[in-house]
């Protein structure tokens, strides 16, 4: 059959085929008795019964093992969640400790606020100092300057730097007294100012005036532990800061105020800021320009 004959046959007979396929058989043939007897005999065999029991038991065991696995997983998940919750609670209960440099600054600011500053007030002042601000010289910057030096000298691991072009007798005496009070731990790495550090006196006169106010035993200590660390940059400079190096980290209090009565005693306001940096940054950004000016003057001669 080809072509149109096939198409004609499908159109005439295919619906009848489908209709007959969906109807039950009109005269179905009964099953042979031999088959029924053989099936019953096979089902009654001991091996077949045992296999059926094994299958049922295996299915039960699989089901039970699955249920046990799900239960164990839920228990493990719950225990892990409990441990996670406990860990989170521990983290909340034990916040990380504050850095030593901020602790020193907080202690110094408490002195500035005469022990009346709340934690919130202190943190606001720290934030303000981090960006820089203008403060009263005698009642804020001077007290902060002195209090920070006191805190830094208490730790034997600290190395302290003091840099200012102008330093009068009273401010040098402040430094000397702070070092003497903490003579077992204080490390004054460098004290830098100009030869004519006071408007009316040079550095030799200022040093002698301070030293004479102490007994002989302290004069020796002052000479070899403090005055021996004085550096005189030959070039003019106007930077004013104190800094502390500890374990490779540096904190710097920078200000526009000279460490002199003109800024720390007389009525005045100045800028002040607090910075944290690495030791390398400190050497490059703060110390090197001052020391470089000294080498520059020597090379020009």
């Amino acid at each position: 059959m080809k072509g149109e004959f096939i198409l004609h046959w499908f159109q005439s007979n295919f619906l009848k085929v489908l209709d007959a396929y969906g109807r039950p058989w009109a005269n179905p043939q009964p099953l042979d008795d031999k088959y029924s007897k053989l099936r019953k005999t096979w089902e009654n065999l001991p091996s077949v019964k045992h296999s059926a029991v094994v299958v049922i038991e295996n299915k039960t065991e699989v089901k039970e093992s699955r249920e046990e696995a799900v239960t164990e997983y839920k228990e493990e998940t719950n225990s892990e969640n409990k441990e996670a919750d406990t860990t989170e609670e521990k983290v909340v209960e034990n916040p990380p400790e504050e850095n030593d440099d901020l602790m020193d600054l907080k202690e110094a600011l408490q002195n500035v606020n005469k022990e009346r500053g709340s934690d919130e007030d202190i943190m606001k002042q720290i934030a303000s100092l981090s960006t820089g601000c203008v403060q009263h010289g005698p009642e804020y910057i001077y007290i902060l300057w002195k209090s920070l030096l006191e805190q830094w000298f208490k730790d034997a691991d600290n190395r302290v730097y003091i840099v200012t072009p102008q330093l009068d007798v009273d401010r040098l005496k402040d430094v000397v007294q702070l070092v003497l009070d903490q003579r077992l731990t204080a490390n004054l790495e460098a004290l830098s100012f100009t030869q004519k550090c006071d408007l009316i006196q040079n550095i030799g006169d200022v040093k002698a005036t301070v030293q004479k106010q102490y007994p002989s035993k302290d004069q020796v200590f002052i000479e070899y532990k403090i005055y021996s660390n004085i550096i005189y940059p030959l070039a003019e400079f106007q930077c004013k800061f104190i800094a502390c190096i500890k374990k490779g980290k540096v904190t710097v209090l920078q200000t526009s105020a000279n460490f002199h009565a003109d800024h720390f005693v007389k009525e005045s306001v100045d800028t002040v800021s607090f910075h944290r940096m690495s030791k390398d940054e400190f050497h490059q950004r703060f110390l090197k320009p001052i020391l470089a000016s000294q080498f520059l003057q020597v090379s020009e001669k």
Side-chain angles (χ1 to χ4, degrees):
M1 296 176 65
K2 297 181 180 180
E4 60 182 9
F5 296 104
I6 295 175
L7 180 61
H8 176 72
W9 186 89
F10 267 99
Q11 290 176 345
S12 303
N13 301 300
F14 192 65
L15 292 176
K16 296 178 182 179
V17 172
L18 292 176
D19 184 53
Y21 182 80
R23 291 199 308 265
W25 291 353
N27 298 307
Q29 294 182 358
L31 292 175
D32 193 347
D33 292 338
K34 292 181 180 179
Y35 174 77
S36 300
K37 291 178 181 179
L38 288 173
R39 180 176 179 81
K40 290 179 180 179
T41 303
W42 179 79
E43 289 177 350
N44 290 327
L45 291 174
S47 60
V48 174
K49 288 183 177 180
H50 176 70
S51 300
V53 172
V54 170
V55 170
I56 293 171
E57 289 178 352
N58 287 342
K59 287 183 178 179
T60 305
E61 289 177 359
V62 169
K63 184 177 180 181
E64 290 177 353
S65 63
R66 286 179 179 174
E67 291 177 352
E68 290 175 358
V70 171
T71 304
E72 290 177 359
Y73 175 76
K74 288 181 179 179
E75 290 176 354
E76 290 177 0
T77 305
N78 292 333
S79 63
E80 288 176 358
N81 290 336
K82 288 180 180 178
E83 289 178 0
D85 294 339
T86 306
T87 304
E88 289 178 359
E89 290 176 0
K90 289 180 180 178
V91 170
V92 172
E93 291 174 359
N94 299 310
E97 295 182 358
E98 294 184 79
N99 293 332
D100 290 342
D101 50 12
L102 285 186
M103 290 296 292
D104 290 338
L105 182 58
K106 286 182 71 174
E107 290 290 336
L109 286 171
Q110 285 290 0
N111 291 331
V112 173
N113 291 273
K114 299 178 181 178
E115 303 295 336
R116 293 195 298 267
S118 64
D119 288 341
E120 185 178 356
D121 292 336
I122 297 299
M123 293 310 296
K124 286 181 179 179
Q125 291 180 52
I126 290 175
S128 180
L129 287 169
S130 298
T131 56
C133 57
V134 174
Q135 293 288 354
H136 191 264
E139 295 180 3
Y140 191 96
I141 300 175
Y142 180 33
I143 300 173
L144 180 60
W145 174 85
K146 193 173 179 180
S147 299
L148 259 182
L149 288 175
E150 182 180 9
Q151 291 296 322
W152 290 345
F153 285 141
K154 289 179 180 179
D155 192 334
D157 292 331
N158 293 341
R159 299 292 181 270
V160 179
Y161 292 78
I162 301 174
V163 177
T164 178
Q166 296 294 310
L167 185 77
D168 59 7
V169 169
D170 289 338
R171 259 40 66 184
L172 180 58
K173 186 178 179 181
D174 285 339
V175 174
V176 169
Q177 189 61 53
L178 289 171
V179 174
L180 288 174
D181 291 342
Q182 307 293 336
R183 66 179 70 201
L184 296 179
T185 56
N187 287 302
L188 180 59
E189 194 74 11
L191 180 60
S192 182
F193 37 79
T194 58
Q195 288 281 350
K196 193 173 182 180
C197 64
D198 196 353
L199 298 177
I200 56 176
Q201 298 185 89
N202 60 32
I203 183 58
D205 296 332
V206 172
K207 287 166 55 179
T209 302
V210 172
Q211 199 168 14
K212 289 177 182 178
Q213 298 181 34
Y214 290 91
S216 299
K217 62 177 182 178
D218 288 336
Q219 289 182 16
V220 175
F221 182 89
I222 292 168
E223 184 66 39
Y224 287 97
K225 291 294 185 179
I226 300 175
Y227 289 175
S228 63
N229 295 320
I230 294 176
I231 298 174
Y232 308 103
L234 300 177
E236 291 292 330
F237 70 97
Q238 292 298 325
C239 48
K240 305 103 180 177
F241 63 86
I242 56 175
C244 175
I245 298 178
K246 181 177 182 179
K247 297 178 180 178
K249 296 181 180 180
V250 185
T251 52
V252 181
L253 182 73
Q254 188 175 19
T255 178
S256 60
N258 281 314
F259 306 160
H260 192 279
D262 286 347
H263 294 262
F264 281 176
V265 177
K266 296 179 181 179
E267 284 292 322
S268 66
V269 292
D270 282 281
T271 58
V272 60
S273 57
F274 185 80
H275 310 283
R276 292 185 287 177
M277 64 194 72
S278 68
K279 184 178 178 180
D280 291 338
E281 286 179 309
F282 175 65
H283 279 285
Q284 288 293 325
R285 293 165 55 184
F286 285 83
L287 291 185
K288 188 176 179 180
I290 298 173
L291 298 178
S293 68
Q294 187 174 8
F295 294 129
L296 180 62
Q297 288 286 337
V298 172
S299 63
E300 287 178 352
K301 291 180 180 179

